[in-house]
Amino acid sequence: MKSPVGGFDWDEGNAEKCQKHGVSIVEIESLFQRPFAVVSDVEHSKAEERLIAIGESDQGRYILIVFTRRERQGETFIRPISARYM
């Protein structure tokens, strides 16, 4: 699956949480530029829909990323919540 998005929604909170397992922001963003699989994270989708992306980064490592989509001014932004190597 390829995802046309307006960009990524980063702030200090999600950037720190995503990088705590050693996955860089560059590597997270690279996954969304390549084919990847997406499944719904129903168990954790209480306040907003959460999704899980699984794919290979530009660095050749497989990553699992939990994320949500945010809409702003008619554009969709990806907000990563958590990321780890598989």
Side-chain angles (χ1 to χ4, degrees):
M1 169 185 212
K2 285 236 178 197
S3 176
V5 297
F8 293 85
D9 183 11
W10 291 107
D11 62 27
E12 193 173 298
N14 71 333
E16 183 178 315
K17 186 170 181 185
C18 286
Q19 293 178 84
K20 90 176 185 183
H21 295 291
V23 185
S24 72
I25 289 173
V26 169
E27 201 164 14
I28 291 167
E29 290 184 2
S30 79
L31 180 131
F32 290 97
Q33 305 307 313
R34 304 167 58 94
F36 60 96
V38 176
V39 294
S40 182
D41 186 0
V42 177
E43 184 178 336
H44 298 102
S45 294
K46 305 299 184 228
E48 62 188 349
E49 179 186 38
R50 289 192 179 190
L51 302 160
I52 299 171
I54 300 170
E56 186 178 358
S57 72
D58 284 346
Q59 290 77 13
R61 292 181 272 210
Y62 287 94
I63 304 173
L64 181 145
I65 301 171
V66 178
F67 71 100
T68 191
R69 293 178 290 212
R70 298 275 169 92
E71 299 290 327
R72 281 199 315 254
Q73 300 176 342
E75 284 192 282
T76 301
F77 290 83
I78 293 174
R79 180 171 176 80
I81 297 168
S82 178
R84 62 186 69 224
Y85 294 111
M86 296 178 62

